[in-house]
Amino acid sequence: MNGTAHVAIGAAAGFIVANNYQSSPATTLLLVGIGGISGLIPDLDIDGKLRNKITLSHKVIQSAALLIGMLMIVYSIYEGIAANRYLGIGIGLAMIIGSSFIKQRHMLTITGIGVLVSGISHQEMWLLLLGVYILIASFVAHRSYTHSILGVIFYGIIVSKLEVSLGIEGIFYTGLTGYISHLVADSKLLPFNKRGIKLFLPISSKEM
Ligand SMILES: [Zn+2]
């Protein structure tokens, strides 16, 4: 399944959750966005060992860095305090500019470190954990740990912290549903998927 399909399914999941919570139009838009991003997150591991075999990887990584850079700027403007705000904006800008220049495989690792540092400077646990997630995803093989139950739990913790931090109901369920929708779409539950996902890593590497 390609990136666009994953985003669409994740966004639809966000829309459904928003409806269940009877969210305002603005919150609905936010949840649709979080759902779409969550639907793409597991494939951040595309920078891993199979990177060279996947022609899209390059663009996915570039877009991810660009997106995270922009989010970081927006977030810093709204939430940052004094020096932290400018540090966050600076890192975000550097990532946006860097994403168009640096194209080699370490981009995602650099992105992870950037997000991690930003999480520490903002004292935001979800951002710190997202940085750790991206960092790990940049080293593991494609369709391995990010496509497992362990990945779901880790991401669930990230979005639960994000929900508490923003104080907006529905973020946790939207993020979790978007993420799980990606795993279902990649699994052998769909007959046209020849390769499945290693759901039970590290206990079993059987493809589901
Ligand atoms: Zn995938």
Side-chain angles (χ1 to χ4, degrees), residues 1 6 42-43 45-46 142-143 146-147 182-183 186 197:
M1 194 145 302
H6 281 306
D43 275 351
D45 65 2
I46 255 167
H142 182 43
R143 286 185 169 217
T146 63
H147 290 59
H182 182 113
L183 303 198
D186 273 358
I197 52 164

Side-chain angles (χ1 to χ4, degrees), residues 16-91:
I16 293 166
V17 173
N19 269 318
N20 279 335
Y21 280 97
Q22 300 185 313
S23 308
S24 68
T27 305
T28 302
L29 206 63
L30 177 76
L31 292 181
V32 167
I34 288 173
I37 292 169
S38 302
L40 205 56
I41 291 270
D43 275 351
L44 281 178
D45 65 2
I46 255 167
D47 198 35
K49 284 173 189 160
L50 284 180
R51 191 190 62 89
N52 294 330
K53 293 179 184 167
I54 302 157
T55 46
L56 252 183
S57 70
H58 195 90
K59 281 191 172 163
V60 171
I61 296 158
Q62 248 182 312
S63 324
L66 194 69
L67 192 71
I68 293 167
M70 288 192 294
L71 286 175
M72 197 172 284
I73 290 172
V74 172
Y75 184 78
S76 300
I77 290 169
Y78 281 106
E79 296 286 325
I81 310 153
N84 273 349
R85 172 182 294 173
Y86 296 110
L87 181 68
I89 294 172
I91 293 172

Side-chain angles (χ1 to χ4, degrees), residues 76-201:
S76 300
I77 290 169
Y78 281 106
E79 296 286 325
I81 310 153
N84 273 349
R85 172 182 294 173
Y86 296 110
L87 181 68
I89 294 172
I91 293 172
L93 276 177
M95 280 175 61
I96 290 173
I97 297 163
S99 71
S100 59
F101 286 107
I102 308 166
K103 288 169 180 175
Q104 64 268 44
R105 55 192 282 257
H106 299 302
M107 186 62 208
L108 194 64
T109 312
I110 295 165
T111 305
I113 295 168
V115 174
L116 177 66
V117 169
S118 175
I120 294 169
S121 91
H122 288 289
Q123 298 187 313
E124 284 287 349
M125 192 48 109
W126 71 271
L127 203 56
L128 191 158
L129 291 174
L130 183 63
V132 173
Y133 180 101
I134 296 170
L135 204 55
I136 293 171
S138 76
F139 289 110
V140 297
H142 182 43
R143 286 185 169 217
S144 65
Y145 284 95
T146 63
H147 290 59
S148 73
I149 289 174
L150 222 53
V152 173
I153 294 170
F154 198 116
Y155 192 69
I157 296 170
I158 294 173
V159 283
S160 75
K161 302 270 183 208
L162 178 61
E163 173 164 321
V164 172
S165 177
L166 293 182
I168 297 171
E169 253 191 339
I171 288 178
F172 171 70
Y173 281 114
T174 300
L176 202 64
T177 312
Y179 196 98
I180 292 171
S181 77
H182 182 113
L183 303 198
V184 173
D186 273 358
S187 77
K188 284 183 177 171
L189 283 175
L190 303 187
F192 52 83
N193 283 337
K194 290 190 190 80
R195 282 189 63 205
I197 52 164
K198 295 166 181 167
L199 197 60
F200 298 106
L201 278 176

